[in-house]
Amino acid sequence: MDLTYTPEQEAFRQEARAWLEDNVPAEPLESFDTKAGFRAHRAWERRLNAGGWAMVPWPVAYGGRGADLLEWLIFEEEYYRAGAPGRVNQNGIFLLGPTIMEYGTPEQKARYLPKMASSEEVWAQGWSEPNAGSDMAAIQTTAVRDGDHYVVNGQKTWASRGAFADWLFGLFRTDPDSERHRGLTFVLVPLDAPGVTVRPIAQLDGETGFAEVFLDDARVPVANRLGEEGQGWKVAMATAGFERGLMLRSPARFQHTARRLVDLFAETRAAGVEIEPSLRDDVTRAWIDAEAYALTTYQTVSRLLAGGRIGAESSLNKIFWSELDVAMHETALRLLGSRAELLAEAPDAAASDAHPGVGRWLDGYLFALAGPIYAGTNEIQRNVIAERLLGLPRG
Ligand SMILES: Cc1cc2nc3c(=O)[nH]c(=O)nc-3n(C[C@H](O)[C@H](O)[C@H](O)COP(=O)(O)OP(=O)(O)OC[C@H]3O[C@@H](n4cnc5c(N)ncnc54)[C@H](O)[C@@H]3O)c2cc1C
C-alpha cells in the first residue's frame, strides 16, 4: 500500500484548507439539536454547498465535487483541523446519499441528491420503533400498497434531529403477513405529509432534536421506494455499512480529539499539576489508536476504490471508534480532575492557559457515551462479528 499523497491530492488539501480558513465561523454554532442551532447549521451547509464542498466524492451533477473517497478523507482531515461545525444532514449525506447512489434510479438520484447536498432537505433516520431497537427485524410499522401509493401506519422513535428534519428514511413492513427481515421495504417519507405527526422527545440536557414519529394512514408515493419491494433489509444493510464502516465517523474526528488530548496533557504538565503515571500511557494509547483507525480507514477506502464492498467487518469498526471515543474523553476528564465537572457555560470553564475549553470535554464525554448505543449497540456488533466474521454458532 502506498501511503504517500499524490501532488494532486496535496493541491486538493491546500485548496480545502484555504476555503475552510476563509469560511469557517469564528465562534462555534449552537448545538444542531436545538431549533436555532439547527437553522444555523443548515445555513452553514448552504455555504459549504455553494463553495462546492458539501459532499466532495459525489458527481458534480448531484451537488458534489467529483472527487474520490481518498480526497473525502483528506477533506475530513482539513474539516476537523479547521474546527468546522458538525454536519446537520449527516443522516442524509453520509448514510442515505451513498445508499441512493447504489440503489436509486436515475430519477431518484436527480430528485434527492442535490437537495441533500445543499441541505435544502435534511434527513432523519427511521429504523427504531418502540418494540424494535436492537432487534430491527421486529419492525411493525406497515406500508400497504394502494394503487401507486403506500398507506403507512405505525410509530418510529429516536429519530435524531427528527424534530426539525424535512424527510425520514426507514424500513416498513409492506407484507403484513411477513416475518422478521422478509417483507420489509425501504421508503422515503416526507415529514410534512398529512398523517405524519412529529413529536420531540425532551432530553435531560434540554435539547429537543430527538423525535418520535407517528404515521396514521400517511400516503407515500410508490416512487419513494428505494430498491425493490420486500428487499428493504438488503438496502438498509448497505446504509448501516456506510454508517458503521466508513462515513458517519471519519478518522479525522478521532485524530482531532487525540491531538486535543495530547495538548491537554502538555498544558496540564506545564502548569505544574501532578499527573498520575498511567495517564501518560492512556494519552499515548489514544493517539496510537486514532492513527490506527485512520490507517484502517485508508485501507477500507482503497478496497472500495478497487471495486470492493463494505461488509460485516463494519461492525469491528463501529466498536473500535465508539470505544475509542469514550476512552479518550475519560482520559481527558481524569486529567482535568475536579474541573472536569464544569459545564461549558460555567465562567471557570472558559479557555485558560492550562485547560482550553474545559466544558467541551464534558459535553464530548456525554455524547461519547451514546456511541456504543447508536448505529446498532456494540453488543449487537459483537454478535455480528461472532456469527458472520468468526463463524461461531448463533447464541
Ligand atoms: C444518540 C442516539 C441517537 C440515535 N439516533 C437514532 C436515529 O436517528 N434513528 C433511529 O432509528 N434510531 C436511533 N437511535 C436508537 C438506537 O438505534 C437504539 O437505541 C439501539 O438500536 C438500541 O435499541 P433500544 O434502545 O431499543 O435497546 P434494546 O434493543 O432494548 O437493547 C437494550 C440492551 O440490550 C442489549 N441487547 C439487546 N438484544 C441483544 C442481543 N441479541 N444480544 C446481546 N445484547 C442485546 C442491547 O445491546 C442493549 O444494551 C439512537 C440512539 C441514540 C442513543
Side-chain angles (χ1 to χ4, degrees):
M1 191 176 174
D2 181 3
L3 289 174
T4 53
Y5 295 108
T6 63
E8 292 75 22
Q9 287 165 342
E10 290 292 0
F12 175 84
R13 181 186 293 284
Q14 292 312 322
E15 197 185 349
R17 184 174 294 187
W19 189 88
L20 289 162
E21 276 171 5
D22 287 346
N23 288 278
V24 168
E27 293 296 322
L29 305 182
E30 193 178 326
S31 161
F32 54 35
D33 285 320
T34 64
K35 197 168 186 174
F38 185 90
R39 209 178 299 126
H41 279 81
R42 203 203 284 260
W44 161 248
E45 289 291 333
R46 262 201 304 275
R47 190 158 168 178
L48 264 179
N49 185 56
W53 297 102
M55 204 42 198
V56 294
W58 289 2
V60 175
Y62 299 141
R65 203 176 187 81
D68 68 16
L69 282 172
L70 282 172
E71 282 159 327
W72 174 71
L73 287 177
I74 293 169
F75 175 72
E76 286 284 297
E77 287 166 12
E78 292 306 316
Y79 197 83
Y80 280 93
R81 180 182 174 278
R87 305 301 300 270
V88 70
N89 205 4
Q90 51 189 261
N91 280 318
I93 55 176
F94 294 151
L95 311 187
L96 180 62
T99 315
I100 291 183
M101 216 69 91
E102 195 169 328
Y103 284 97
T105 61
E107 293 74 29
Q108 287 174 326
K109 290 177 186 170
R111 160 65 189 84
Y112 294 111
L113 296 174
K115 287 186 179 183
M116 194 183 285
S118 66
S119 282
E120 183 181 333
E121 294 176 343
V122 176
W123 288 81
Q125 184 189 53
W127 305 141
S128 303
E129 297 181 1
N131 294 311
S134 297
D135 188 10
M136 205 162 94
I139 280 175
Q140 291 170 352
T141 303
T142 52
V144 177
R145 188 85 180 245
D146 178 23
D148 52 7
H149 281 75
Y150 289 113
V151 182
V152 187
N153 279 287
Q155 181 191 347
K156 296 288 176 182
T157 191
W158 307 128
S160 296
R161 289 165 294 289
F164 314 122
D166 308 290
W167 283 79
L168 174 121
F169 62 86
L171 278 186
F172 301 88
R173 200 163 286 285
T174 35
D175 175 359
D177 297 326
S178 65
E179 287 184 2
R180 309 296 297 159
H181 52 272
R182 285 175 290 277
L184 294 170
T185 300
F186 199 118
V187 182
L188 314 176
V189 180
L191 286 172
D192 61 357
V196 179
T197 307
V198 177
R199 199 179 291 167
I201 301 173
Q203 289 165 235
L204 276 177
D205 59 10
E207 297 187 347
T208 52
F210 249 148
E212 48 189 351
V213 179
F214 297 88
L215 301 127
D216 299 294
D217 285 336
R219 293 181 70 80
V220 179
V222 169
N224 292 17
R225 185 184 72 212
L226 194 56
E228 296 301 311
E229 190 166 292
Q231 296 295 311
W233 189 263
K234 193 170 90 181
V235 184
M237 287 307 106
T239 312
F242 291 118
E243 180 172 31
R244 297 168 188 157
L246 182 63
M247 301 206 102
L248 184 69
R249 297 291 178 245
S250 77
R253 176 184 176 113
F254 305 104
Q255 290 175 296
H256 181 64
T257 308
R259 275 195 301 273
R260 284 175 55 223
L261 190 59
V262 170
D263 288 348
L264 179 64
F265 182 90
E267 286 157 7
T268 307
R269 195 170 57 176
V273 177
E274 198 177 326
I275 301 176
E276 66 173 274
S278 69
L279 275 167
R280 199 164 119 144
D281 293 346
D282 292 343
V283 171
T284 310
R285 167 141 305 278
W287 189 85
I288 292 172
D289 283 354
E291 291 301 309
Y293 178 51
L295 291 174
T296 307
T297 308
Y298 270 91
Q299 189 184 42
T300 303
V301 163
S302 302
R303 194 160 46 80
L304 291 178
L305 290 176
R309 290 173 64 87
I310 294 185
E313 76 287 350
S314 62
S315 293
L316 287 169
N317 229 48
K318 198 262 152 166
I319 292 174
F320 193 83
W321 58 249
S322 58
E323 293 188 349
L324 171 61
D325 208 25
V326 175
M328 287 198 290
H329 283 87
E330 276 175 353
T331 303
L333 298 193
R334 282 171 60 216
L335 269 170
L336 286 167
S338 57
R339 286 169 56 84
E341 292 174 29
L342 294 174
L343 297 176
E345 55 273 21
D348 283 355
S352 72
D353 286 347
H355 303 302
V358 169
R360 274 177 66 201
W361 286 110
L362 181 59
D363 281 351
Y365 173 66
L366 293 177
F367 188 71
L369 290 178
I373 303 173
Y374 66 77
T377 70
N378 285 8
E379 289 80 8
I380 296 300
Q381 304 317 310
R382 288 191 160 88
N383 287 349
V384 172
I385 293 165
E387 289 163 17
R388 298 199 34 213
L389 294 180
L390 302 178
L392 297 175
R394 290 178 71 86

